[in-house]
Amino acid sequence: MLSRYILHLPRLQRGFATQVGPISTIPASIHLKTGQSFHGRSFGAPRSVFGETVFSTSITSYTESMTDPSYRGQILVFTTPLIGNYGVPANTAPSDSQDVGVVLESKGIQCSAIVVGDVAEQFSHHSAVESLASWCKRYNVPGITGVDTRAITRLLRDQGTTLGRLAIGPDVSLPPPTAEEYWDPTGENLVDQISTKTPYVLNPGGSIKIAVLDFGAKANILRSLVRRDAAVTVLPWNYDFNAVRDQYDGLFLTNGPGDPAHCMEAALKLRKTLQEWDRPVFGICMGHQVIGMAAGLDAYRMTFGNRGHNQPVLALASAGSIKAGRVYVTSQNHQYALKLQDPFPQGWEPFFINCNDSSVEGIKSTKESGKKVWGVQFHPESAGGPLDTIEMFSDFVAECRAHKIQFQETAFSHDIKPARLGTMVEPRRVAVAA
Ligand SMILES: *[C@@H]1O[C@H](CO)[C@@H](O)[C@H](O)[C@H]1NC(C)=O
């Protein structure tokens, strides 16, 4: 009786232990440029691809990682064996002051392919609408399962990040590519491919105006700003911000994929901004590297990138909610980093350092410089990952607001007072007349 009743509950149609059918028996192989090959089964799109092979140590949030534009061009190896068990949610949300149009980190899957030890053939989650395999198929992204991801990870950890090829179906019987045949995504300007082509505004009624240079923004960066009541104008990565900068209370530079050398144009424009403009500037990941290059630091390619949601960083300076001497656990996804140099360029200091590999995890303007500029290599917005540093968004928005108030008091005090009185008097007069 009871089971018959439960079977008729409509909500069970959605995301509950849904039968998705067995993963295909189509063979698949992953070849690494360093010479090794691993063989398993295909799922998702039956299509062979090249990419940069990287691993992530995150246990959950495969949906957020796969839609993170910073993974563009990459074959993503999950070190966690079981992936797909909670399926994939519908990816639409309202574009209002609470959200930015998507539930995940962008509209579609950004990585080139995924490598999974044991892909879940069934999924169960209240918000799931499809399986990982069917989502991959819809976005034409191939996957391989049934391979020893621990062995692959150990190779990538010993040899460093390398190029790869996912061969599916008939391509499995072809010989592995020669070294010259591997496609290297970092040779391309991936930022230019992913960045918005035209400016757009989110939450136009927000109480402060923040301009965002889009190098491949994760949606949660934009969400973290609009939820703090900022009106956010998203601009192409190489937009001439200096021509419009006085309309904004702050500037934000997002994360993005690939080699920061492709973004030198943005760094040179930002150098002028930093010299001539004194409002708050905050950058994350690629945005942090662009700030560093504008400050005169060099960026380099790391042998082992940092990817995962458990990267410990030590704060070397205090600012806002961040206290010097504390360790924060952070979400990260990067292959490039700023070079630590001694002395640091004048007016700048290191902000965070990675506790494990000592790479630069953040820089900031010094107190003496009189500027409010910060860059962090990690992702304070999380999605996925810990929220240890989420308050950095509140710090940034508070600085923008403080600057705006100070600016109004000094420059426009005579204009603003009558205007405010006017709007307060108007409704009262109407009320009396009625
Ligand atoms: C950082 O180092 C610690 C200590 O060796 C280790 O337990 C931890 O797994 C490392 N974290 C990452 C993300 O590699």
Side-chain angles (χ1 to χ4, degrees):
M1 266 318 275
L2 185 65
S3 64
R4 224 171 82 195
Y5 175 69
I6 288 176
L7 280 175
H8 286 95
L9 281 180
R11 62 182 291 264
L12 293 185
Q13 302 291 322
R14 208 165 182 251
F16 185 76
T18 310
Q19 185 68 44
V20 295
I23 296 294
S24 80
T25 50
I26 299 173
S29 302
I30 175 160
H31 305 295
L32 302 181
K33 193 182 172 185
T34 41
Q36 304 86 356
S37 296
F38 295 82
H39 309 286
R41 286 174 300 134
S42 134
F43 66 91
R47 181 170 84 94
S48 302
V49 293
F50 284 102
E52 187 182 29
T53 316
V54 301
F55 69 86
S56 168
T57 57
S58 56
I59 289 169
T60 176
S61 314
Y62 53 86
T63 41
E64 282 79 0
S65 296
M66 289 169 68
T67 51
D68 174 353
S70 293
Y71 277 114
R72 204 173 165 85
Q74 295 180 328
I75 298 174
L76 178 55
V77 181
F78 290 102
T79 62
T80 298
L82 185 68
I83 295 290
N85 48 331
Y86 59 88
V88 179
N91 192 18
T92 47
S95 285
D96 57 19
S97 61
Q98 291 303 301
D99 224 308
V100 297
V102 289
V103 168
L104 299 173
E105 291 309 296
S106 67
K107 286 203 177 99
I109 301 177
Q110 300 288 348
C111 56
S112 295
I114 57 172
V115 181
V116 174
D118 185 8
V119 75
E121 301 194 8
Q122 300 197 357
F123 61 91
S124 175
H125 192 273
H126 65 90
S127 68
V129 294
E130 64 183 324
S131 70
L132 178 57
S134 87
W135 188 48
C136 286
K137 196 167 224 161
R138 252 183 348 100
Y139 281 94
N140 206 20
V141 171
I144 181 171
T145 184
V147 286
D148 185 351
T149 47
R150 185 165 188 266
I152 298 173
T153 303
R154 289 180 62 147
L155 283 172
L156 297 177
R157 250 174 114 119
D158 291 344
Q159 309 167 150
T161 304
T162 185
L163 299 178
R165 160 91 167 158
L166 208 66
I168 309 287
D171 290 352
V172 165
S173 44
L174 299 176
T178 60
E180 303 74 55
E181 279 167 354
Y182 280 95
W183 171 69
D184 186 353
T186 59
E188 294 185 11
N189 189 342
L190 301 172
V191 164
D192 196 51
Q193 295 172 16
I194 190 79
S195 174
T196 183
K197 298 283 174 273
T198 48
Y200 63 93
V201 183
L202 296 164
N203 188 28
S207 58
I208 48 161
K209 287 183 78 177
I210 292 177
V212 171
L213 289 180
D214 175 17
F215 296 91
K218 279 175 68 187
N220 208 38
I221 288 182
L222 305 176
R223 258 179 231 128
S224 298
L225 294 170
V226 300
R227 286 184 182 163
R228 286 165 177 79
D229 198 30
V232 171
T233 305
V234 185
L235 303 169
W237 70 279
N238 54 356
Y239 194 82
D240 186 11
F241 175 67
N242 289 312
V244 295
R245 65 190 183 201
D246 288 334
Q247 300 170 23
Y248 297 98
D249 304 308
L251 173 65
F252 188 95
L253 292 86
T254 76
N255 67 297
D259 186 343
H262 294 297
C263 298
M264 196 46 91
E265 182 189 344
L268 294 176
K269 284 176 177 155
L270 180 67
R271 182 171 291 174
K272 184 172 157 72
T273 313
L274 296 178
Q275 280 161 358
E276 300 170 358
W277 198 65
D278 63 352
R279 298 180 202 175
V281 179
F282 185 22
I284 287 177
C285 195
M286 178 66 81
H288 147 85
Q289 291 165 8
V290 169
I291 292 175
M293 295 191 303
L297 290 164
D298 287 328
Y300 70 103
R301 186 180 163 83
M302 305 164 82
T303 310
F304 311 100
N306 296 141
R307 293 181 186 83
H309 301 158
N310 57 348
Q311 298 284 340
V313 302
L314 171 68
L316 302 176
S318 295
S321 58
I322 301 299
K323 303 284 172 266
R326 279 205 196 160
V327 170
Y328 299 85
V329 179
T330 63
S331 179
Q332 295 195 18
N333 172 14
H334 67 111
Q335 191 70 40
Y336 293 82
L338 290 175
K339 244 183 219 159
L340 188 60
Q341 65 173 61
D342 190 21
F344 240 45
Q346 207 195 341
W348 296 90
E349 61 184 352
F351 194 5
F352 292 94
I353 199 136
N354 189 300
C355 299
N356 284 14
D357 64 12
S358 302
S359 57
V360 174
E361 291 285 357
I363 61 169
K364 63 185 279 295
S365 52
T366 59
K367 207 175 199 153
E368 298 72 48
S369 71
K371 305 258 180 202
K372 299 278 183 190
V373 186
W374 316 262
V376 291
Q377 185 61 69
F378 53 85
H379 287 267
E381 83 285 358
S382 172
L387 294 166
D388 286 29
T389 51
I390 187 70
E391 288 307 316
M392 294 193 82
F393 283 95
S394 306
D395 297 342
F396 171 61
V397 168
E399 285 291 351
C400 294
R401 204 159 268 144
H403 190 283
K404 182 182 177 180
I405 290 166
Q406 190 190 4
F407 180 71
Q408 281 179 343
E409 278 171 0
T410 51
F412 290 119
S413 53
H414 298 292
D415 299 340
I416 274 173
K417 272 176 197 155
R420 277 191 188 152
L421 275 179
T423 52
M424 276 167 63
V425 166
E426 199 64 32
R428 240 185 262 155
R429 217 188 284 149
V430 175
V432 169

